[in-house]
């Protein structure tokens, strides 16, 4: 259930990196994926968290990705990392390993082979308190 919601949230976050997305775009993504009410709620929850904590999430992302600022990241990787970091930091009902696994799965689908390791490494460092 949440996998589809995460994929939709990822697409909305990704699009927002290029231009502020509107409600119509978001609704269109949800409709395309056929999200039910519970899935829409979860996707909205992710998006609200990323928007509400954007500066904090970017700061953590820059801290964890040593030598590779968010401005240099592939937009797909940045979007996935923002989403997963939001779940890790702010969603008590989502195990950290699930957030990482879902982000890595989406990286396999939407990014490069090297991105999979990068996303996994950054999120692993987030879980381990920056010690990776």
């Amino acid at each position: 259930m949440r996998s589809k919601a995460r994929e939709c949230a990822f697409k909305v976050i990704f699009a927002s990196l290029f231009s502020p997305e509107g409600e119509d775009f978001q609704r269109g993504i949800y409709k395309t994926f056929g999200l039910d009410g519970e899935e829409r709620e979860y996707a909205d929850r992710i998006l609200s968290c990323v928007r509400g904590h954007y500066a904090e999430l970017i700061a953590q992302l820059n801290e964890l990705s040593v030598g590779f600022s968010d401005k240099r990241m592939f937009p797909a990787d940045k979007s996935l990392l923002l989403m997963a970091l939001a779940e890790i930091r702010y969603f008590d009902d989502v195990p950290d390993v699930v957030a990482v696994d879902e982000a890595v799965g989406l990286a396999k689908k939407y990014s490069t082979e090297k991105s999979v390791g990068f996303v996994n490494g950054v999120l692993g460092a987030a879980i381990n308190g920056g010690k990776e």
Side-chain angles (χ1 to χ4, degrees), residues 1 3 12 37-38 45 47 59 62 65-66 71 75 78 84 89 93 99 104 111 117 123 130:
M1 180 246 349
S3 292
V12 173
E38 204 173 323
R45 186 174 161 210
L47 293 170
N62 284 323
S65 58
V66 179
K71 290 170 183 36
K78 183 176 176 178
R89 285 185 73 164
D93 62 328
V104 167
S111 201
L123 295 175

Side-chain angles (χ1 to χ4, degrees), residues 21-91:
E21 84 289 344
E23 290 291 319
D24 290 340
F25 176 77
Q26 189 171 322
R27 276 193 301 269
I29 292 289
Y30 290 4
K31 185 176 180 182
T32 299
F33 275 77
L35 296 189
D36 63 26
E38 204 173 323
E39 291 166 329
R40 279 193 306 273
E41 282 181 27
Y42 193 73
D44 286 344
R45 186 174 161 210
I46 292 170
L47 293 170
S48 177
C49 186
V50 170
R51 288 178 188 128
H53 297 282
Y54 188 80
E56 298 153 46
L57 293 169
I58 288 292
Q60 184 180 22
L61 186 55
N62 284 323
E63 182 182 311
L64 294 169
S65 58
V66 179
F68 210 135
S69 80
D70 71 285
K71 290 170 183 36
R72 293 185 54 218
M73 287 180 199
F74 290 137
D77 299 350
K78 183 176 176 178
S79 302
L80 291 168
L81 289 166
L82 288 168
M83 180 179 70
L85 285 174
E87 285 186 302
I88 290 167
R89 285 185 73 164
Y90 302 107
F91 290 31

Side-chain angles (χ1 to χ4, degrees), residues 98-111:
V98 171
V100 173
D101 188 55
E102 291 283 335
V104 167
L106 288 169
K108 287 177 184 175
K109 184 173 181 178
Y110 290 105
S111 201

